[in-house]
Amino acid sequence: MRSGNEPVTARSPLRLRFWLSLWGLVWAAAGTAVFSLAARPGWAAACGVVALLAAVDLAVVVHHIHQGPHYQPGRDIPPYEPPRSR
């Protein structure tokens, strides 16, 4: 259903973002461990920063998913009009 205001009522694919963040967190944590054992502190720090960013994104996504169907509606919920600011 196209209403012409999709950028305003766009929905984030939170489940996809969840799995991509989890995937990035696992790989960045593994990279941090491997580069630390290989005595490469610069690369270990870079992977650590990426792991931290992935963890923060994962926490935000989980928070939005737990907020309910307003932020992650199912296929049976039609697009909603955004709240009007006063």
Side-chain angles (χ1 to χ4, degrees):
M1 166 194 303
R2 247 182 100 72
S3 61
N5 60 355
E6 280 75 21
V8 176
T9 61
R11 298 174 180 163
S12 175
L14 292 176
R15 288 181 188 93
L16 176 64
R17 243 177 93 190
F18 171 81
W19 290 110
L20 289 174
S21 294
L22 189 62
W23 180 256
L25 180 61
V26 167
W27 278 101
T32 303
V34 168
F35 284 122
S36 293
L37 294 174
R40 306 286 288 198
W43 284 104
C47 285
V49 168
V50 171
L52 180 65
L53 290 173
V56 168
D57 186 46
L58 191 61
V60 168
V61 168
V62 167
H63 175 71
H64 281 232
I65 288 174
H66 283 288
Q67 283 183 330
H70 178 73
Y71 291 97
Q72 183 62 24
R75 291 187 175 143
D76 57 333
I77 298 174
Y80 60 91
E81 289 296 320
R84 304 283 185 217
S85 58
R86 296 178 187 201

